[in-house]
Amino acid sequence: VLSMAAGVDHILSDPSLPASVPVLRLTDAGMGDQIAEYVALGALTHIRGMLDYLDQQRRQVWQSNENRRAQETTVGILGPGTLGRRAAERLMALRFHVLGWARQPRLESFEVHTGSGGFERVVEQSNILVCLLPLTDQTQRVLNANVFERMPPGGFLINCARGAHLVLDDLHGALDSGQLHGALLDVFPDEPLPVGHGLWAHPQVMVTPHIAARTMVDDACLQIAENLVNLAMGGKLTGQVERATGY
């Protein structure tokens, strides 16, 4: 089974899927650059206070606010895989300090932590927290009140993974208390986001309709075709999912 996306949770959750059938995901297919741009947009939006300025514009208020510098800002990437690595490279080019958290140790051009202790260290240092995790039983509701409370005050959340990673009520609480200053959200537990939902009008939240990264057809077809050739020739498949871990 070949997925037309990087995520495969929708495939693995199908009870009719035989355990013996390999599942392949797209490893990039043009999505890396898009994710990098989206994450950079969110990070720059936060440090330049653009949500505050948009709110001031609506209220016709002319007021200069203090900015945070990129080199003084730590961005934590949960899930520094193929897409997360591209996001980290773009952020480092903008002089952000980048940390990552992964399930297994990996060598990257930025600092990557593992394990529950490593997760806490990344969260506690992250002025901006980016979720690019695969959706598994272990990562559902991972963005919750406990995580937001551990972040430095005035933090910013970027979720462009899956809506089920985020506990919306906990996000509302963190925003209302000022523990989080804002959020850029591309995915939601229910999509489309229901009409009348409070996030639509929240002045410190940017909502986008699951567009952080679209599958580029030409790139996806080439990758799928290469896998089909490798399958026929007995070659190595790319993007094969470990069924035990869900990615």
Side-chain angles (χ1 to χ4, degrees):
V1 177
L2 298 101
S3 175
M4 288 291 292
V8 293
D9 48 282
H10 60 299
I11 297 173
L12 298 182
S13 63
D14 188 338
S16 67
L17 178 69
S20 60
V21 174
V23 176
L24 310 180
R25 60 180 176 81
L26 295 179
T27 56
D28 190 328
M31 292 180 281
D33 281 338
Q34 297 176 72
I35 285 290
E37 292 166 356
Y38 189 90
V39 171
L41 168 68
L44 293 171
T45 292
H46 176 54
I47 66 168
R48 295 307 303 265
M50 295 308 297
L51 290 177
D52 294 325
Y53 289 125
L54 288 172
D55 183 53
Q56 289 177 196
Q57 179 181 339
R58 285 188 287 268
R59 296 185 288 113
Q60 300 183 44
V61 173
W62 185 277
Q63 176 180 310
S64 176
N65 303 318
E66 289 188 14
N67 296 327
R68 175 189 290 272
R69 302 172 68 193
Q71 56 266 46
E72 300 169 344
T73 305
T74 297
V75 182
I77 297 180
L78 306 180
T82 301
L83 303 183
R85 184 181 305 114
R86 298 291 289 276
E89 291 168 351
R90 191 67 57 91
L91 290 168
M92 289 188 293
L94 294 168
R95 302 187 67 187
F96 286 94
H97 177 229
V98 177
L99 301 174
W101 180 81
R103 180 174 65 94
Q104 296 179 339
R106 59 179 65 199
L107 183 63
E108 299 287 357
S109 57
F110 53 97
E111 186 178 337
V112 177
H113 297 264
T114 59
S116 58
F119 182 87
E120 293 177 0
R121 284 193 293 273
V122 170
V123 167
E124 288 170 357
Q125 296 180 62
S126 296
N127 307 109
I128 300 171
L129 193 63
V130 180
C131 184
L132 284 168
L133 291 165
L135 183 62
T136 67
D137 291 342
Q138 290 71 39
T139 63
Q140 289 202 38
R141 300 172 64 87
V142 69
L143 303 173
N144 54 47
N146 181 57
V147 166
F148 303 145
E149 288 168 4
R150 288 181 174 273
M151 291 176 66
F156 192 84
L157 175 68
I158 302 173
N159 187 18
C160 42
R162 288 290 187 266
H165 286 128
L166 175 62
V167 182
L168 288 181
D169 287 345
D170 290 0
L171 173 64
H172 272 286
L175 290 169
D176 291 346
S177 71
Q179 175 63 17
L180 287 186
H181 188 69
L184 171 58
L185 306 177
D186 188 54
V187 289
F188 302 89
D190 296 312
E191 294 181 0
L193 185 64
V195 173
H197 194 286
L199 287 177
W200 283 114
H202 199 293
Q204 294 306 120
V205 175
M206 291 177 64
V207 170
T208 56
H210 208 137
I211 50 78
R214 300 179 186 273
T215 299
M216 306 305 290
V217 175
D218 290 348
D219 292 343
C221 289
L222 179 61
Q223 192 173 133
I224 289 172
E226 288 176 347
N227 263 333
L228 291 174
V229 170
N230 289 337
L231 183 64
M233 301 297 290
K236 183 178 180 180
L237 303 177
T238 61
Q240 185 160 352
V241 174
E242 294 182 21
R243 297 287 287 272
T245 61
Y247 55 91

